[in-house]
Amino acid sequence: MPQAFAVVTGTKQLEEEFAGHASIVKRYFSINGQQVVKVDGDTATGVVYSQMKMVREEDGKEVITDYSVKYDDTYVRQNGAWLIKERASHYIIIEARTLQG
């Protein structure tokens, strides 16, 4: 059964969590794939699939972690712009390995 490992509420807490995590990442790559959205007026729900790679240093070696992620999103339209109101991240595959070379 899936368990939440972090619950983040509000922009300030999101910035703090991201800054803490980003401080250990040397390089980062992300690509978003398929996205399906159902719009209902000024609200919407959607599913987004993403691939991420993060490189960090561990014991003097570079370690890359590959993430395959599914996001379940709730969106809201404010002042003509669509914003993410809520996001649940589901890490489907996580693989870490030492980089060679």
Side-chain angles (χ1 to χ4, degrees), residues 1-7 70 72 88-92:
M1 176 139 210
Q3 295 182 5
F5 63 88
V7 176
K70 174 189 169 202
D72 288 317
S89 304
H90 306 279
Y91 292 84
I92 309 301

Side-chain angles (χ1 to χ4, degrees), residues 23-58:
S23 69
I24 63 170
V25 176
K26 293 175 71 176
R27 292 185 304 281
Y28 175 89
F29 175 80
S30 177
I31 186 168
N32 290 323
Q34 179 182 354
Q35 181 177 25
V36 178
V37 177
K38 182 179 178 184
V39 178
D40 184 13
D42 286 334
T43 63
T45 57
V47 176
V48 180
Y49 294 91
S50 182
Q51 288 286 158
M52 296 181 291
K53 296 177 184 293
M54 294 183 199
V55 178
R56 66 187 189 292
E57 192 167 311
E58 189 174 291

